[in-house]
Amino acid sequence: MPNRLTGQSSAYLRQHADNPVAWQPFDDAAFAEAARRDVPVFLSVGYAACHWCHVMAHESFEDPVLGAYLDEHFVPVKVDREERPDVDATYMAATQLITRQGGWPMSVFLTPDGRAFHAGTYFPPRPAHGTPSFRQVLEAVAGAWSTRRDELEQAADTVARAVAGQAEDLRTALSGAVPVAAEPEEDGTDPAAAALEVLLRDEDPVHGGFGGAPKFPPSTVLPLLERLATGGAPGVAGRAGGLLGRTLGAMRGSALFDHVGGGFHRYSVTREWSLPHYEKMLYDNAQLLRAYARAAALDPGAGHGRTAADTAGFVLRELRLPGGAFASSLDADTPSPDGDVHSGEGAYYVWSRSGLREVLGADRGTAVADLMGVAAGPPRPLHPGRVLDDDQQALWDAARPELAAARARRPAPARDDKAVAGWNGMTVTALAEAGVLLEDPALLLAAEQAAGQLWEVHWDGSRRRLARTSHAGSAGHSIEGLLEDYAMVAEGFLALYRATGATPWYERARELADVAAERFSHPAPDGGPDAPERVWSDLADVPAPLLAAGGSGRADPLDDVTPAGTAVLAAVLVELWVLEEDESRARPVPSLLGPLELLARRSPRSAGRALAVQAELGAAPVHVVLAGGTAEDKLAARRAVGPAAVLTTRVVDADAPGAPGSARGRTAPGGRFTVHVCRDFACRAPVHSVAELQEQLGGAPGLS
């Protein structure tokens, strides 16, 4: 079979289209070919921004001799883990069982039906430090396949059972916890408050954030801290707000943040956030943009708004694609002048003291080097290690444009231009909210354009299916979206509805939520079709090789670098319940959130988003329903609500076609401009002016 990676959505796959290897995408044809030839599948999993993936490709996959051997004895399959997280998760579990470690590139050897029997990560071109060369590994596996086939089949069966058993063990452990709907414990501590206590104990008291090295941005737990800071009991709110502020401050004062170009790198390889791994991911920046924009509204004097604006600027400038959607990532590596993309990890971002002096002059360059933690020696990332005071900020603000201009002359990192539906959905949410909270209409417009591209390119209305990825405006090579894609895009559309009042976004979100419930759930074995308990899957259809390998497709309840799809869909259903005043919308939420008590007390960073949704369930919904009057009246009312429109309050235009159910019965007698302010589904006496609206909002706790 020829190399079939040309034209794929994934830049990572397209980067291997010219290899002297007959790479196949992960599909039925590849496994059918392995069965026909009765040879193993060599599965290589990576992603475009992965440094060691590039290294192994350059050393091994670009070698014609090695490529010929690989093609002769195997069917080579290449997978982008960002495009196929289902494949990555199943075979990463197998790799960790076989090797006791994991990482990318991931190299797995499979039977023709998909069961893993041998695995590793990066293999060098020559033996080194006790690691065999890639050629040696291939020869050993090919030899064992020819002479000891029964042993490999037995190993494959053992690994498949273990993969299946791991998932079942997790479900069993979690099922022993207290359900989400349970009453607080005797000490009065609910799961969210219990989670806060664990997070406070786990906080790094010196450098901020959680854990040691490598240290990742705790993106998925930030919504929980924000929810507790705004809606918790006074003692809880203050402690949660303090932890949130310290965490956000530590990250924006660190080398994790790109102080020249804005946006955040993937993680820090050091505990003190001083040395980033330089790839930049859309999903990180979408989550952090949202967190900093919301924090700026809650604590305007803390400087979070500047970080949010800089992050939004990076996303729009460097990740935006023609048509309005957003690319997946920027590479960690920077091509050298001769075009070698493997030689310069982080070279685009680092500075030496002499380099700073060359751009800024001797005095200013030295001052900026001292400010940004650039010591003598080789180039380093900018790492102030603190939030800058006003004088320091002024020095940096003056230097930054000059450094940005100088950096723009360097070779830039490569970009993975595939658009992932779920990550774009998160970005729509972040931009829509930031547009309101930062009072920047350009961000709101960008959110609308990205959402329009998602609906036009990724949504197939005739089949009612959402594609996971697209490239160059086409989703022709994509699999169906995962649960997380449906949920995150729906959440983005709901964020746009709250920010703009345009009902088509609400209607589209509702349709995505309905299809997600149809495609990704079925009644629990002991319940009927209308039972609240449902079994959820991350995949609508599980490929046969994954089933053979021990995968089940059952939804993963834990957050990873992005929140669990089940938690995001739960948030969508809670929002629809509030907008529509339809309790049936919330019926599946407990089965989506699952039992949170155990996770809250042992691993809250694995369930931050679900815990935030659970806390939201206990809050009293707030509506401002507008009826009658002119468009100008309604715009003025929306402005009067202000940031609360995307934080705590749903502003609903009762006159808009397709308005949600919360508009029912809230009319405008005689067409006179009328505002209904409602809390917990009970409304005050209607008012007829913006001044009266502001008085009601100001006099009702939680309404503004």
Side-chain angles (χ1 to χ4, degrees), residues 397-639:
D397 287 343
R400 180 181 174 186
E402 298 173 62
L403 296 177
R407 195 173 83 172
R409 294 190 287 272
R410 299 174 178 177
R415 185 172 76 175
D416 182 349
D417 282 350
K418 74 173 179 292
V420 177
W423 304 353
N424 271 263
M426 288 195 295
T427 308
V428 169
T429 299
L431 289 170
E433 293 186 356
V436 174
L437 299 173
L438 304 181
E439 299 181 351
D440 187 343
L443 303 185
L444 192 55
L445 176 62
E448 291 179 301
Q449 291 173 338
Q453 183 81 343
L454 286 171
W455 192 250
E456 179 182 346
V457 174
H458 286 250
W459 177 248
D460 183 341
S462 62
R463 298 175 58 244
R464 299 181 80 221
R465 297 289 184 269
L466 183 73
R468 176 163 174 81
T469 61
S470 67
H471 177 252
S474 172
H477 288 277
S478 178
I479 63 168
E480 182 181 358
L482 280 64
L483 173 63
E484 68 175 32
D485 295 300
Y486 281 84
M488 291 170 181
V489 173
E491 184 174 48
F493 289 175
L494 286 174
L496 265 179
Y497 173 64
R498 290 187 67 168
T500 67
T503 53
W505 298 122
Y506 153 69
E507 294 173 325
R508 292 168 181 176
R510 182 178 59 189
E511 183 168 10
L512 285 168
D514 290 342
V515 175
E518 295 167 7
R519 296 287 290 157
F520 297 95
S521 76
H522 59 270
D526 55 350
D530 297 323
E533 278 301 317
R534 301 190 70 78
V535 176
W536 294 88
S537 300
D538 284 325
L539 301 171
D541 298 301
V542 185
L546 298 190
L547 291 173
S552 68
R554 289 280 293 269
D556 186 346
L558 306 181
D559 295 340
D560 192 6
V561 294
T562 58
T566 49
V568 180
L569 184 60
V572 167
L573 294 178
V574 169
E575 183 68 11
L576 289 173
W577 162 57
V578 172
L579 286 171
E580 297 173 354
E581 297 188 359
D582 179 358
E583 291 187 359
S584 68
R585 283 290 188 189
R587 193 176 299 154
V589 169
S591 64
L592 283 162
L593 296 182
L596 293 178
E597 185 69 30
L598 183 65
L599 288 171
R601 295 180 180 277
R602 295 188 182 178
S603 185
R605 281 182 281 159
S606 298
R609 188 63 197 278
L611 288 163
V613 176
Q614 188 263 354
E616 179 69 20
L617 277 171
V622 180
H623 297 83
V624 171
V625 183
L626 312 176
T630 65
E632 289 75 14
D633 291 329
K634 291 175 179 176
L635 180 59
R638 181 173 287 277
R639 287 173 175 163

Side-chain angles (χ1 to χ4, degrees), residues 8 18 49 76 185 204 207 241 289 318 340 412 417 446 475 478 571 627 662 700:
Q8 293 288 321
D18 295 327
E185 293 196 353
D204 182 336
H207 305 293
L289 167 58
E318 298 190 41
D340 181 1
D417 282 350
S478 178
S662 55

Side-chain angles (χ1 to χ4, degrees), residues 284-337:
D284 287 321
N285 284 284
Q287 292 178 88
L288 293 171
L289 167 58
R290 188 185 192 194
Y292 278 96
R294 293 173 77 92
L298 300 174
D299 189 1
H304 299 312
R306 177 191 292 270
T307 307
D310 285 347
T311 302
F314 155 72
V315 169
L316 295 183
R317 184 180 64 253
E318 298 190 41
L319 295 180
R320 199 176 192 189
L321 299 168
F326 294 92
S328 296
S329 64
L330 294 183
D331 208 329
D333 296 323
T334 303
S336 61

Side-chain angles (χ1 to χ4, degrees), residues 128-442:
H129 309 295
T131 301
S133 72
F134 186 47
R135 177 63 182 256
Q136 288 175 323
V137 172
L138 294 179
E139 291 175 346
V141 171
W145 186 260
S146 298
T147 62
R148 296 185 287 115
R149 175 74 171 270
D150 289 347
E151 294 179 26
L152 299 188
E153 293 280 358
Q154 292 172 10
D157 284 341
T158 300
V159 173
R161 286 195 299 269
V163 170
Q166 276 191 337
E168 188 58 37
D169 289 347
L170 174 62
R171 287 193 292 271
T172 300
L174 293 179
S175 67
V178 180
V180 68
E183 295 295 324
E185 293 196 353
E186 293 182 4
D187 63 2
T189 303
D190 65 15
L196 176 62
E197 298 304 316
V198 177
L199 292 169
L200 287 166
R201 289 199 301 269
D202 288 350
E203 182 187 14
D204 182 336
V206 177
H207 305 293
F210 305 95
K215 182 175 281 187
F216 289 78
S219 303
T220 60
V221 84
L222 298 176
L224 171 63
L225 296 179
E226 187 231 322
R227 184 69 193 79
L228 291 174
T230 55
V236 169
R239 299 172 78 204
L243 178 55
L244 177 65
R246 291 191 299 273
T247 304
L248 295 177
M251 289 192 294
R252 71 184 176 93
S254 75
L256 189 74
F257 183 63
D258 178 359
H259 296 270
V260 173
F264 288 85
H265 298 293
R266 181 68 198 92
Y267 62 88
S268 173
V269 300
T270 59
R271 179 181 177 183
E272 67 273 15
W273 309 98
S274 61
L275 181 61
H277 186 51
Y278 290 97
E279 59 195 356
K280 283 183 169 181
M281 314 303 295
L282 178 64
Y283 55 72
D284 287 321
N285 284 284
Q287 292 178 88
L288 293 171
L289 167 58
R290 188 185 192 194
Y292 278 96
R294 293 173 77 92
L298 300 174
D299 189 1
H304 299 312
R306 177 191 292 270
T307 307
D310 285 347
T311 302
F314 155 72
V315 169
L316 295 183
R317 184 180 64 253
E318 298 190 41
L319 295 180
R320 199 176 192 189
L321 299 168
F326 294 92
S328 296
S329 64
L330 294 183
D331 208 329
D333 296 323
T334 303
S336 61
D338 62 3
D340 181 1
V341 299
H342 318 294
S343 61
E345 185 176 8
Y348 185 71
Y349 301 103
V350 296
W351 297 87
S352 64
R353 290 180 74 87
S354 60
L356 291 171
R357 288 195 294 265
E358 181 180 341
V359 175
L360 301 173
D363 292 341
R364 291 174 65 222
T366 298
V368 167
D370 293 340
L371 178 68
M372 289 292 172
V374 179
R380 300 169 182 265
L382 302 179
H383 178 231
R386 63 198 180 283
V387 174
L388 305 182
D389 63 30
D390 290 344
D391 291 340
Q392 293 168 336
Q393 191 67 56
L395 171 63
W396 175 246
D397 287 343
R400 180 181 174 186
E402 298 173 62
L403 296 177
R407 195 173 83 172
R409 294 190 287 272
R410 299 174 178 177
R415 185 172 76 175
D416 182 349
D417 282 350
K418 74 173 179 292
V420 177
W423 304 353
N424 271 263
M426 288 195 295
T427 308
V428 169
T429 299
L431 289 170
E433 293 186 356
V436 174
L437 299 173
L438 304 181
E439 299 181 351
D440 187 343

Side-chain angles (χ1 to χ4, degrees), residues 668-690:
R672 183 184 180 190
F673 177 56
T674 304
V675 183
H676 305 264
V677 178
C678 313
R679 181 181 179 86
D680 207 9
F681 307 113
C683 299
R684 296 184 175 192
V687 296
H688 303 283
S689 70
V690 170

